[in-house]
Amino acid sequence: MNPITLSLKLLGRQGQSMPLVMLLAGLAVATAALSAVSLFTDRVGRAMERQASEALAADLIVAGRERVPVEFVDQARSMGLETAELVLVSTVIFAGDESNLIDVKAATDGYPLRGRLQVSPELGADDREVEQGPRPGEAWLEPRAVRTLDLELPATVELGRRTLDASQVLTWEPDRGGSRFMLAPRMLVHFDDLMAADLLGPGSRARFRLLIAGSERSVAEFGSWVSDRLDDNQALITVADAEDQTGQALTQARRFLGIAALTAVILAAVAILLTALRYQRSQRDLIALLKCFGASTTQVGLAMVLVLAWLVLIAVAVGGAAGWLAQESIVRALAEAPVGELPPARLLPLLGSAVFTVLLAAGFALPPLMSLRRVPPMRILNRAMDRMRTPWLLSWGLAIAGALAIPVLQLGDLRLAVIVLGACLVLALALALTGWLAMLGTRTLATRAGPSWRFGLAGLQRRRAGGILQITALGLALMALLLLLVVRGELMSQWQSSLPPDTPDHFLVNIQPDQVEAVGERLTSIGARNLQIRPMANANLLRVSGQRPPDDRMAGQVNISWIDELPPANEIVAGEFFAPGATGEVSLAEMWAERLGVELGDELTFESGALEFSARVTSIRRVDWNSFNVNFFILLTPDAGQVLPHQHIASFYLADGDGSVLRPLNREFPNISILDIGALIQRVQEIIDQVSNAAQVVFFFTLIAGLVVLLAAIEATRDERRHESALIRTLGADNGLVRRGILVEYGVMALIAGLLATGGAAVTGWLMARELFNFAYQPTPILFALGFVAAFILVLGSGWIGNRSVLATPPVRILRAG
Amino acid sequence: MITAIMERMHAPEKLILDCRHVGFRVDAPDGELVILDDISFQLNGSETLAIVGASGSGKTTLLGLLAGLDRPTRGEVWLAGQQLNQLDENERARLRRQRVGFVFQSFHLLPSLTALDNVILAIEIAGMDRAGERARQALAQVGLDQRLRHYPRQLSGGEQQRVAIARAFAIEPDILFADEPTGNLDRSTGERIASLLFDLNRQHGTALVLVTHDPHLAERCQRVLTLDGGRLVGADDAQAKPIAATASL
Ligand SMILES: Nc1ncnc2c1ncn2[C@@H]1O[C@H](COP(=O)(O)OP(=O)(O)O)[C@@H](O)[C@H]1O
Ligand SMILES: [Mg+2]
């Protein structure tokens, strides 16, 4: 017999048989989840590749906290290099009645040196490449900025002292790469405007960049010339650095979605295994017959491989198409977050998913199917002659390891994959254990309830192993979705309301000493609460008790302040805070001291400008950073203020939340930058929302895989159920009793699954709240309502679908059942 | 309702089963297949009847029709004064749960329930009170009072069949149907089970319809009907109304 004909016959004959359909479904779901993620990451990857060469808008950058010395520029020019300068600063921008925190980039003529800017005259209009950045007096805003400021171009915006003409929508910056997750939207202006806006005081947190471009040799020469002349706060950024950074962003996205896909794949693998086992059981008689007629072991084996091959083919087609649609929704969910404009999807990544599906089939479906080769023809005469041998453990282990290899590769991080797999395993075991205990509990119930309970719970007990598997699979999938759908939102809102009502939501930086009093008055008059204005100076940490401080980004240039009493939200954990009139002392935040290994009694030596000074560590403070107050790692005794050049920084809560009341202040003191923390938090939340929306798409496949497990398990036990139902009907049970019995069986399962899913999500949320946000999370009734309703709909729904034929079984069947 | 009560009162003499010209045909790919043809007989309460015949002669099919598990395509079956043809599936189930006990060739206990719970389930389905107490009694009657908490897989074939017999009698049925009750047991166990069945039957005064191809077993019944190719070919008693041919044994 020709194996191809045989395989087609086997498929054709059983085309509608449930085990085959479920096997197909399991394979297709796994393909879909993986295709979605790989299609998406491929698009992001290509977008980033395309950008990498222009990611700096230059060939080399000198970056620093201050404007680079003119001699750098002169040297570059003399080497025949092109130059341009950039300043980046975040501040609140006013436009009409609106105000928002904007990431301002100011560029000299010539920017960008590599790549092109693209602009459009209004939102949604076609964009075009331009040779040059904005002219003085012009501002170009990213679409998100246009929307948050509610602008109708052309319009005017106020940048500190300057009023600018918002003339274009900025649709593309070549050097946006690393800051794809940029918190505030971008506004691009001319360098001269920002300098004239008076925003760049010493505390403004502005970042300056000198862009260099030219021949490879000259760039390299300039690089080595300049690297000897850089101070501690300056750094060289090369194209390779930029690639690293974009690569990292891609890796992050890939990891997150990869984890989601991996859970879908694990459940799909379970479903595939279940259905394959069921399928081979249903085929044993037929195969025994074929062998009686002379089919050889090789022919049967080959036919089975082919059956599986056809299934894989269909699964790749169906799953690939579903994955294609899903990646579109992922892209849409992430529209404004990390990815921006993407190249269209291409078919190539589907090849990888196909290979993976083949491995999955080989790992989980082939071993059971291949065991059909060994069916003894004697089975035809006597079924007892056919002892199903459990396949050799090692061959299974190898196959399964092979099938899991691809998602692990996809994740691109072995350690992380092991952690995810391990966590899944631990979670599954915990769920299974709880499920098992709950089922044990129902056993006692069974002895004191009516016939439908007794019958239903008897079914539950009988199919306990399968039931636990179903509950675990569905519980896991539901838990993941509940975490994303419900707990995430609740965490955010509960965290925000856990903050005291007048938690500062605005910061003012760069307040000059002679402005402090006036600014304080003005702020009080517009209703600012919880106002703190604190001095701040920049200094370099030179020595710790005579030694060079460790090489750490928290050493080097530091912000310092001084005060005569312990500020709120601070707690002394070692030593004692400054006594009144103390001088030459310093108090450190615990986190900073531990990181740099500084202890009580050490002497810190700082340098500010030409001034060098020292102070002895007399106390260590624990700071509640969640308080959003202005806090400093390093606090000096007030005598420091007498000698150090400094400015002030203010934090306050603005009662009515409307930033436009700050406009007069902005006009009067244009040098002051306003930071809107509320807007920042909102932006963080938006990003989290978008990323979890994307992950939801993938976790949706996990849920489908869980459902396939559920249906596969129902399918595997259907004959048993039909038999039991026929039996109790013979004993006189009516349809209602049988139906109620099934309802009890699945109802209890749904209850346990719902319990596990909501409980798991609530506990995870509680742990996250405690560890990350430092507050006590309280799950709301919505979580439980949603979890239980979903569990009941899914479990009872599939129970109903899977058991329709059970209800239709006539009792007379019991007389014919062996 | 009233007839039902009256029947109960006169149980011993009263007709429990009346089979009138029953036929059963199924549609087969090549035409109609006659499985049972024109079967008629009557059975009084507390009578015992054996149905014998070769394999494939239609014994099991007939039993299913008599017990109301299926409906005949021709003729009528009256069970405990009710015409089964006119009852729907659920009404027949209700009749069975109160009046009818079953013993099967392959025992058919629910594997995830203990012996006790298997019996309790049947009593509960019958809607009778004191299910636990009745079940214990029934199991004691079959000599299994030490095995109440055992699951079917922990019991031998003979013991499982005893649980099934306890389950059948626990609901105090008017009539008991047994399809090859010793078919899956070795000879000596089979004999002991048969004796138990007949003893309990006598004690409870239940009518018994026993399907078997074992002549010894059939002999222990008061009456024997022989089926051949779906037709009644022999009845060894005078009361049997239809075609009384030669006694067949
Ligand atoms: N629903 C049915 N459809 C087709 N054939 C049936 C059906 N029920 C019974 N038969 C056939 O009717 C004949 C009698 O079967 P059965 O009553 O089981 O005989 P016995 O119990 O005497 O061995 C057999 O040939 C059987 O295959
Ligand atoms: Mg039979």
Side-chain angles (χ1 to χ4, degrees):
Chain A
M1 206 179 320
N2 180 347
I4 297 183
T5 351
L6 179 54
S7 70
L8 287 174
K9 281 229 170 77
L10 283 172
L11 263 189
R13 209 180 73 95
Q14 315 241 302
Q16 274 99 25
S17 94
M18 274 312 265
L20 269 190
V21 175
M22 310 292 285
L23 186 52
L24 187 61
L27 288 169
V29 170
T31 317
L34 245 101
S35 307
V37 173
S38 52
L39 284 168
F40 170 74
T41 46
D42 174 65
R43 285 176 75 178
V44 178
R46 277 183 298 142
M48 290 186 166
E49 243 163 58
R50 185 187 68 185
Q51 243 190 316
S53 58
E54 321 177 332
L56 291 181
D59 296 333
L60 186 72
I61 286 182
V62 184
R65 301 266 292 257
E66 279 156 36
R67 199 169 172 178
V68 293
V70 180
E71 53 169 296
F72 285 14
V73 183
D74 291 344
Q75 176 67 24
R77 294 240 169 92
S78 73
M79 288 173 148
L81 293 163
E82 288 178 83
T83 62
E85 277 188 81
L86 288 182
V87 196
L88 299 151
V89 67
S90 287
T91 188
V92 169
I93 299 289
F94 294 86
D97 292 335
E98 302 291 331
S99 63
N100 212 293
L101 185 67
I102 299 286
D103 211 34
V104 180
K105 180 198 264 181
T108 56
D109 296 341
Y111 165 85
L113 301 181
R114 292 278 181 258
R116 292 280 170 81
L117 295 167
Q118 290 178 23
V119 294
S120 69
E122 56 189 288
L123 278 182
D126 286 342
D127 51 3
R128 61 187 170 91
E129 285 192 355
V130 288
E131 299 286 331
Q132 284 224 316
R135 303 289 77 223
E138 257 191 306
W140 295 353
L141 294 98
E142 194 190 358
R144 190 150 54 89
V146 176
R147 276 197 292 274
T148 53
L149 289 173
D150 203 15
L151 291 179
E152 194 79 59
L153 297 192
T156 54
V157 294
E158 289 160 32
L159 171 68
R161 209 185 278 285
R162 304 280 296 166
T163 300
L164 301 176
D165 185 13
S167 54
Q168 302 279 358
V169 179
L170 178 65
T171 55
W172 180 258
E173 297 166 87
D175 52 345
R176 212 177 103 172
S179 50
R180 276 176 182 281
F181 260 118
M182 215 162 43
L183 289 175
R186 169 81 82 218
M187 178 168 88
L188 182 61
V189 300
H190 194 272
F191 196 80
D192 297 345
D193 283 325
L194 185 60
M195 297 317 264
D198 253 352
L199 276 171
L200 305 177
S204 66
R205 305 197 154 258
R207 289 159 291 146
F208 289 81
R209 302 187 148 191
L210 171 64
L211 277 58
I212 303 287
S215 73
E216 215 170 303
R217 234 184 88 208
S218 315
V219 171
E221 269 172 33
F222 177 78
S224 59
W225 177 86
V226 82
S227 57
D228 299 335
R229 290 168 175 81
L230 295 180
D231 69 28
D232 283 353
N233 296 310
Q234 289 171 327
L236 277 186
I237 304 175
T238 63
V239 172
D241 295 335
E243 277 170 357
D244 266 6
Q245 217 173 8
T246 51
Q248 264 170 22
L250 177 60
T251 310
Q252 296 292 341
R254 183 191 280 165
R255 272 184 192 167
F256 193 53
L257 296 173
I259 288 172
L262 192 53
T263 60
V265 166
I266 291 170
L267 287 188
V270 173
I272 290 166
L273 183 63
L274 274 181
T275 49
L277 282 170
R278 164 83 174 140
Y279 177 69
Q280 68 94 13
R281 233 177 295 137
S282 70
Q283 296 302 296
R284 292 187 91 80
D285 281 336
L286 181 69
I287 299 296
L289 195 65
L290 288 175
K291 285 185 128 185
C292 271
F293 294 160
S296 71
T297 301
T298 326
Q299 281 171 325
V300 171
L302 219 57
M304 282 303 141
V305 171
L306 283 170
V307 164
L308 205 55
W310 305 135
L311 287 181
V312 167
L313 221 57
I314 304 172
V316 166
V318 174
W324 188 282
L325 293 178
Q327 61 88 23
E328 274 300 330
S329 13
I330 294 177
V331 169
R332 216 157 289 160
L334 289 174
E336 280 189 352
V339 277
E341 190 96 355
L342 288 180
R346 53 179 185 170
L347 284 170
L348 192 67
L350 286 182
L351 198 67
S353 311
V355 170
F356 163 73
T357 313
V358 170
L359 276 182
L360 200 64
F364 290 89
L366 201 57
L369 293 198
M370 286 317 260
S371 76
L372 280 175
R373 283 182 311 164
R374 306 258 162 251
V375 173
M378 270 302 281
R379 181 185 162 93
I380 287 297
L381 301 179
N382 183 354
R383 283 196 181 182
M385 298 295 293
D386 180 15
R387 291 235 177 71
M388 276 191 237
R389 268 180 305 172
T390 11
W392 192 34
L393 202 67
L394 186 64
S395 71
W396 276 70
L398 282 178
I400 289 170
L404 286 176
I406 287 254
V408 167
L409 288 180
Q410 174 93 19
L411 216 50
D413 182 340
L414 183 69
R415 213 176 69 94
L416 187 67
V418 169
I419 291 173
V420 171
L421 284 174
C424 272
L425 195 70
V426 168
L427 201 60
L429 283 180
L431 291 190
L433 186 73
T434 327
W436 181 67
L437 287 175
M439 286 218 178
L440 275 190
T442 64
R443 218 169 176 164
T444 41
L445 256 184
T447 55
R448 54 191 96 239
S452 40
W453 279 86
R454 195 176 299 277
F455 174 58
L457 294 177
L460 197 63
Q461 290 300 332
R462 168 139 190 215
R463 295 174 273 279
R464 193 163 49 205
I468 290 171
L469 188 71
Q470 287 164 280
I471 286 171
T472 307
L474 200 76
L476 270 179
L478 259 183
M479 187 180 134
L481 278 179
L482 283 176
L483 271 175
L484 287 178
L485 274 170
V486 187
V487 175
R488 159 178 58 103
E490 289 181 357
L491 274 182
M492 280 319 245
S493 63
Q494 287 187 24
W495 171 63
Q496 270 167 4
S497 55
S498 80
L499 301 175
D502 50 0
T503 298
D505 57 357
H506 281 82
F507 280 77
L508 298 185
V509 296
N510 201 21
I511 306 168
Q512 297 309 309
D514 59 343
Q515 297 173 326
V516 168
E517 207 165 313
V519 167
E521 272 167 26
R522 210 67 88 251
L523 285 175
T524 318
S525 75
I526 59 169
R529 296 218 301 261
N530 200 6
L531 173 66
Q532 288 185 48
I533 304 184
R534 310 276 296 280
M536 184 176 106
N538 285 310
N540 286 319
L541 177 63
L542 289 183
R543 288 182 295 278
V544 176
S545 292
Q547 307 285 312
R548 250 183 77 89
D551 207 7
D552 190 296
R553 83 186 153 75
M554 280 192 157
Q557 193 172 59
V558 291
N559 289 325
I560 53 182
S561 185
W562 45 91
I563 197 166
D564 51 4
E565 55 176 15
L566 188 65
N570 281 253
E571 186 194 342
I572 297 294
V573 292
E576 270 181 55
F577 200 68
F578 314 142
T583 57
E585 293 182 23
V586 60
S587 172
L588 300 177
E590 192 181 26
M591 188 170 130
W592 191 87
E594 274 171 10
R595 180 148 170 176
L596 298 184
V598 180
E599 285 165 7
L600 280 181
D602 278 338
E603 190 177 61
L604 302 185
T605 306
F606 298 96
E607 171 198 58
S608 180
L611 185 79
E612 223 182 272
F613 65 96
S614 297
R616 188 163 301 278
V617 180
T618 55
S619 66
I620 307 280
R621 290 165 292 128
R622 181 168 299 152
V623 180
D624 176 12
W625 298 101
N626 246 347
S627 69
F628 284 93
N629 287 315
V630 181
N631 272 305
F632 293 91
F633 290 133
I634 301 163
L635 279 179
L636 296 163
T637 41
D639 53 312
Q642 252 94 79
V643 290
L644 285 171
H646 64 275
Q647 39 117 5
H648 286 77
I649 177 166
S651 69
F652 56 94
Y653 170 73
L654 203 53
D656 57 6
D658 177 9
S660 65
V661 298
L662 293 171
R663 177 195 295 265
L665 190 91
N666 186 54
R667 288 238 170 87
E668 198 176 339
F669 310 105
N671 60 302
I672 296 174
S673 305
I674 304 169
L675 295 178
D676 182 348
I677 301 298
L680 265 181
I681 291 176
Q682 205 179 340
R683 180 63 195 143
V684 169
Q685 200 167 340
E686 271 167 34
I687 290 176
I688 294 175
D689 281 352
Q690 286 168 342
V691 173
S692 15
N693 283 343
Q696 264 166 35
V697 176
V698 185
F699 275 119
F700 178 70
F701 288 116
T702 310
L703 187 69
I704 295 185
L707 273 179
V708 178
V709 171
L710 193 70
L711 284 169
I714 290 174
E715 164 58 32
T717 55
R718 193 166 42 201
D719 288 345
E720 201 173 286
R721 280 168 212 281
R722 287 167 80 145
H723 178 248
E724 288 174 6
S725 132
L727 172 63
I728 73 157
R729 276 146 162 265
T730 303
L731 297 181
D734 54 18
N735 276 339
L737 201 154
V738 177
R739 209 177 294 129
R740 283 195 301 277
I742 292 178
L743 198 71
V744 166
E745 180 174 345
Y746 284 91
V748 171
M749 234 154 49
L751 193 74
I752 301 176
L755 212 69
L756 293 182
T758 51
V763 168
T764 311
W766 179 80
L767 281 175
M768 279 166 68
R770 209 184 64 157
E771 298 301 319
L772 300 179
F773 299 98
N774 219 351
F775 75 97
Y777 165 63
Q778 281 181 332
T780 64
I782 293 175
L783 171 69
F784 294 99
L786 208 70
F788 278 102
V789 166
F792 272 91
I793 289 177
L794 293 175
V795 176
L796 290 183
S798 38
W800 178 74
I801 292 172
N803 284 305
R804 273 173 311 175
S805 68
V806 170
L807 279 173
T809 313
V812 69
R813 190 187 142 102
I814 201 70
L815 294 174
R816 314 245 167 232
Chain B
M1 192 64 208
I2 292 171
T3 46
I5 294 167
M6 289 189 30
E7 272 167 14
R8 282 228 142 173
M9 284 161 59
H10 305 283
E13 308 82 44
K14 200 57 199 168
L15 213 55
I16 179 80
L17 193 60
D18 188 0
C19 186
R20 300 177 189 167
H21 308 289
V22 164
F24 191 70
R25 294 161 190 229
V26 292
D27 289 326
D30 23 57
E32 211 181 29
L33 194 67
V34 180
I35 294 169
L36 289 174
D37 190 26
D38 196 31
I39 310 279
S40 298
F41 70 91
Q42 293 179 328
L43 190 72
N44 284 325
S46 82
E47 263 188 315
T48 56
L49 169 77
I51 299 174
V52 295
S55 177
S57 58
K59 303 184 296 291
T60 298
T61 309
L62 179 59
L63 185 88
L65 296 180
L66 297 178
L69 297 178
D70 211 346
R71 272 196 266 210
T73 48
R74 306 258 164 111
E76 300 168 357
V77 176
W78 291 73
L79 179 66
Q82 303 226 40
Q83 201 205 331
L84 294 184
N85 305 44
Q86 281 167 2
L87 304 181
D88 68 16
E89 178 96 41
N90 284 336
E91 288 166 333
R92 278 183 278 138
R94 202 166 308 133
L95 185 67
R96 275 201 301 277
R97 78 172 77 128
Q98 287 153 356
R99 298 296 180 82
V100 179
F102 280 97
V103 177
F104 309 98
Q105 177 172 0
S106 41
F107 326 136
H108 291 320
L109 302 175
L110 282 181
S112 49
L113 290 182
T114 59
L116 183 65
D117 281 333
N118 262 291
V119 181
I120 290 181
L121 178 63
I123 300 174
E124 283 178 341
I125 290 174
M128 297 164 80
D129 58 357
R130 297 181 292 115
E133 196 181 317
R134 286 175 199 267
R136 260 174 249 273
Q137 266 169 20
L139 283 164
Q141 279 185 334
V142 298
L144 284 179
D145 30 358
Q146 302 303 314
R147 316 291 300 267
L148 299 179
R149 301 275 167 214
H150 286 218
Y151 287 90
R153 62 169 183 283
Q154 300 167 306
L155 300 171
S156 71
E159 286 163 341
Q160 289 187 47
Q161 193 62 303
R162 281 201 257 172
V163 176
I165 291 172
R167 176 177 68 184
F169 283 106
I171 61 163
E172 290 164 22
D174 296 336
I175 183 165
L176 185 78
F177 291 97
D179 190 12
E180 311 267 13
T182 58
N184 275 9
L185 302 171
D186 62 76
R187 191 168 189 86
S188 66
T189 314
E191 249 150 43
R192 260 178 284 141
I193 289 294
S195 301
L196 180 67
L197 189 63
F198 281 107
D199 286 349
L200 283 174
N201 192 60
R202 210 169 306 116
Q203 278 173 34
H204 288 255
T206 314
L208 172 69
V209 176
L210 176 82
V211 163
T212 181
H213 57 252
D214 178 0
H216 294 289
L217 205 54
E219 252 169 25
R220 299 173 72 163
C221 292
Q222 292 158 343
R223 295 166 57 196
V224 177
L225 292 180
T226 307
L227 276 182
D228 185 13
R231 299 181 67 93
L232 216 48
V233 295
D236 68 338
D237 61 282
Q239 295 135 306
K241 296 273 187 294
I243 22 153
T246 44
S248 85
L249 261 180

